[in-house]
Amino acid sequence: MSYENDVMSLIIAAGEGRSCAMEALSFAKAGNFAEAEASLKISADAFRQAHEVQTRLIGLDEGVGKLQITLVMVHAQDHLMTGMLCRELVTELIEVYKKME
């Protein structure tokens, strides 16, 4: 896969992970915890895919700057990290909703 395709794959997987996490939160707010858990699992799978791409890119760079850092790559990394944080917070909020139920 090319560098550009890897970066786009990272953005797409991170976006799916974040979207599924937010969907899980909506399900939990409505009291649909089974659906919330299913969405969280899809979210985790998407972030796992994104992390695999990220790991591949890190390996190609070898820590010495072999890969060109572009604005799109910075965006991809930002997308991944904020998405992962979103998922962590959503997971905690779902637990709060469960306790309130």
Side-chain angles (χ1 to χ4, degrees):
M1 194 180 292
S2 73
Y3 175 72
E4 292 82 11
N5 286 341
D6 277 341
V7 172
M8 290 309 296
S9 293
L10 186 58
I11 291 170
I12 290 166
E16 180 181 3
R18 182 185 179 282
S19 292
C20 290
M22 293 305 294
E23 178 182 62
L25 183 58
S26 292
F27 281 132
K29 284 171 69 174
N32 299 323
F33 297 110
E35 291 91 341
E37 291 301 322
S39 289
L40 278 179
K41 180 174 181 343
I42 295 168
S43 174
D45 291 342
F47 282 120
R48 194 171 3 270
Q49 289 175 353
H51 190 262
E52 287 171 7
V53 173
Q54 181 189 46
T55 300
R56 182 170 52 251
L57 290 170
I58 290 169
L60 290 172
D61 188 65
E62 296 178 353
V64 294
K66 288 186 174 183
L67 293 180
Q68 179 185 11
I69 302 301
T70 64
L71 185 56
V72 175
M73 179 53 153
V74 171
H75 173 68
Q77 288 296 120
D78 182 53
H79 214 47
L80 176 59
M81 299 314 296
T82 58
M84 290 173 71
L85 176 60
C86 174
R87 185 178 186 285
E88 290 173 19
L89 290 172
V90 163
T91 300
E92 292 298 319
L93 286 170
I94 288 173
E95 291 303 314
V96 171
Y97 279 118
K98 284 179 181 178
K99 287 181 181 179
M100 291 173 50
E101 191 73 8

